[in-house]
Amino acid sequence: MTSGNIGAWQKKVGDGLAPGDVLVEIETDKAQMDFEFQEEGVLAKILKESGEKDVAVGNPIAVMVEEGSDVSAFDSFTLEDAGGEKAPPKEAPKEEAAESSEPPQTGSATAPPPQEDAKPAAEESESTGAKLQTSLDREPNASPAAKTLALEKGVPLKAIKGSGPGGRITKSDIEKYQAPASAASAATGAGGPAYEDIPATSMRKTIANRLTQSFNQNPHYYVSSTLSVTKLLKLRQALNAAADGKYKLSVNDFLIKACAIACKRVPAANASWREEGGQTVVRQYSNVDVSVAVATPVGLMTPIVKGADSIGIQSISSQIKDLGKRARDGKLKPEEYQGGTFTISNMGMNDAVERFTAVVNPPQAAILAVGTTRKVAVPVETEGATSLDWDDQIIVTASFDHKVVDGAVGGEWIRELKKVVENPLEMML
């Protein structure tokens, strides 16, 4: 995490603070977390208001003083007085999303070509005769909050006359701005499509970067299988009927357990590719921590059922309900969604999705995509005749990182999964 967004302040200026009090909500690229104050004091000044976005780690956001201090002395205290704004660290630009870890000039066929310093040809600049301007003169005079709001609403700062001191553009100027009627209807009038630009959230940017990285750097291959879940559904129905309302098991709960058992039987699939300290290793895990894809209002999250191989289905069900709710509410702790050794993504609740493929969740090496349940007519051989019976079936597709999991291993893993799902009593052992 290099930056975050400021959520709702839980304290106002002048309020006392005790260790453990929630001061403010901080939105990271994956969740919204409560920032708890760990000392006694009084909130004297708020330097970053609710809604401020991309605040770099290390930036001051508030002033705390000892109890009994004069809070009014900080009325005119500004961010500049606290040391000024700090920009988040910038990543070095990359020409490609996936770079070779092998140095050039090694003689290997896979080594990247040596890079040559491109020297641009000298060109004579053309003068416009206009007065030179500094970057500050070219930049619209607007407050940081106004710039953020303008970016979110797509408001051009150069089209606004500021009402603040020295012509400074304020948030209220952005809120009052109305696009000219001609500009608003230009696209429609010209026959172009109407559209709306929705700013990408920090979480959406993180998801985009990680999935792009996964597809570029991890050679995917896919193994599909049709699983009969008739016995599993009957077992689920019997267990839920006997629960007397204490729990309600879902098909996904059984599939999580089945994935964990298959990973224990084929540990080569319960692994990850690691490049650390100049060494490259394949790390095989002795425990199975299953990441479960959960759709939230701000994007996909993968809370983790830890030790799914060593706990019962009822415990898995209870954890999933709790983790799923807190994921949708943005209340997960980082350790509850970071890590995991295997992922399952289930779209079976959508009866239009028969099958799909999923992108491997790095640094993991495998993910299972689950489609909806279908009733399929299956021929049954009897004495002297053939009849039809109805079977409940699910199509699953496992995606594997070929750097870690060979094709034969992926096939073995899907076979073990099929055995467990079609003989669900094995999950009870």
Side-chain angles (χ1 to χ4, degrees):
M1 174 181 172
T2 58
S3 64
N5 303 332
I6 305 297
W9 285 91
Q10 303 301 313
K11 299 286 184 180
K12 61 181 183 296
V13 172
D15 284 353
L17 295 164
D21 283 355
V22 176
L23 179 62
V24 63
E25 294 177 351
I26 301 294
E27 179 189 342
T28 70
D29 55 3
K30 278 288 187 180
Q32 184 168 304
M33 299 181 293
D34 294 332
F35 176 75
E36 296 181 356
F37 199 62
Q38 300 302 322
E39 298 179 15
E40 292 184 350
V42 177
L43 178 58
K45 182 71 174 181
I46 293 176
L47 301 176
K48 289 289 185 180
E49 298 292 340
S50 297
E52 293 272 3
K53 297 184 181 297
D54 297 325
V55 179
V57 171
N59 260 326
I61 62 173
V63 178
M64 309 296 162
V65 296
E66 293 182 356
E67 190 172 352
S69 301
D70 183 12
V71 174
S72 62
F74 292 88
D75 287 346
S76 59
F77 193 88
T78 65
L79 184 63
E80 285 69 26
D81 297 326
E85 188 90 19
K86 296 180 182 178
K90 296 181 179 179
E91 295 183 359
K94 297 179 181 179
E95 293 184 0
E96 298 180 8
E99 294 186 355
S100 173
S101 59
E102 187 176 4
Q105 300 173 336
T106 60
S108 168
T110 60
Q115 296 181 349
E116 298 180 0
D117 294 333
K119 297 182 178 179
E123 295 183 3
E124 185 176 351
S125 62
E126 296 182 0
S127 173
T128 62
K131 180 182 176 181
L132 291 175
Q133 292 181 306
T134 66
S135 59
L136 290 177
D137 292 331
R138 293 192 298 269
E139 181 76 15
N141 184 14
S143 68
K147 291 179 181 179
T148 301
L149 187 61
L151 182 62
E152 291 178 353
K153 294 192 171 186
V155 175
L157 287 174
K158 292 184 178 180
I160 297 179
K161 185 176 180 180
S163 61
R168 189 177 178 85
I169 300 172
T170 64
K171 286 179 67 175
S172 61
D173 295 328
I174 304 296
E175 292 167 348
K176 295 175 183 176
Y177 174 78
Q178 292 183 345
S182 58
S185 59
T188 306
Y195 61 87
E196 176 187 3
D197 287 334
I198 302 173
T201 63
S202 298
M203 183 173 175
R204 176 52 55 190
K205 293 175 185 176
T206 299
I207 293 172
N209 290 336
R210 284 178 60 82
L211 294 185
T212 301
Q213 178 190 34
S214 177
F215 233 63
N216 284 345
Q217 297 184 0
N218 302 328
H220 285 54
Y221 73 91
Y222 310 96
V223 181
S224 297
S225 182
T226 300
L227 312 180
S228 171
V229 292
T230 299
K231 293 179 181 179
L232 187 151
L233 293 178
K234 290 179 179 178
L235 177 60
R236 169 179 174 259
Q237 183 181 18
L239 291 174
N240 284 339
D244 196 22
K246 295 178 182 178
Y247 56 82
K248 186 176 182 181
L249 306 178
S250 69
V251 173
N252 204 44
D253 299 332
F254 285 88
L255 293 177
I256 292 171
K257 183 64 177 180
C259 287
I261 294 174
C263 285
K264 289 296 287 186
R265 294 179 179 178
V266 187
N270 189 46
S272 65
W273 181 268
R274 298 281 177 170
E275 296 181 4
E276 299 174 351
Q279 291 186 331
T280 301
V281 299
V282 174
R283 180 174 297 171
Q284 284 192 14
Y285 301 96
S286 56
N287 58 303
V288 185
D289 297 338
V290 180
S291 302
V292 183
V294 175
T296 75
V298 292
L300 191 69
M301 294 196 69
T302 52
I304 303 167
V305 179
K306 296 185 178 180
D309 56 308
S310 59
I311 60 177
I313 299 175
Q314 181 183 349
S315 180
I316 290 174
S317 179
S318 177
Q319 288 190 42
I320 284 297
K321 288 180 174 63
D322 173 59
L323 291 168
K325 182 180 185 304
R326 289 193 288 119
R328 286 183 284 271
D329 294 340
K331 299 296 184 181
L332 285 179
K333 298 176 183 178
E335 60 268 23
E336 292 177 319
Y337 59 80
Q338 292 177 354
T341 64
F342 183 91
T343 297
I344 181 172
S345 180
N346 191 340
M347 293 180 67
M349 69 293 298
N350 186 339
D351 58 9
V353 180
E354 183 179 86
R355 73 183 76 191
F356 70 103
T357 57
V359 180
V360 170
N361 182 21
Q364 297 173 14
I367 182 172
L368 183 71
V370 182
T372 193
T373 305
R374 306 171 302 141
K375 283 195 174 294
V376 179
V378 178
V380 178
E381 297 291 339
T382 59
E383 293 183 5
T386 301
S387 62
L388 291 178
D389 198 3
W390 292 100
D391 186 33
D392 292 292
Q393 296 182 357
I394 291 177
I395 298 178
V396 297
T397 302
S399 307
F400 295 101
D401 178 359
H402 217 318
K403 299 197 309 294
V404 181
V405 184
D406 288 334
V409 176
E412 181 66 20
W413 185 90
I414 207 82
R415 180 166 64 182
E416 291 299 327
L417 177 74
K418 184 178 178 70
K419 284 181 182 178
V420 176
V421 171
E422 296 187 347
N423 299 280
L425 289 178
E426 291 189 24
M427 302 183 208
M428 308 290 108
L429 300 177

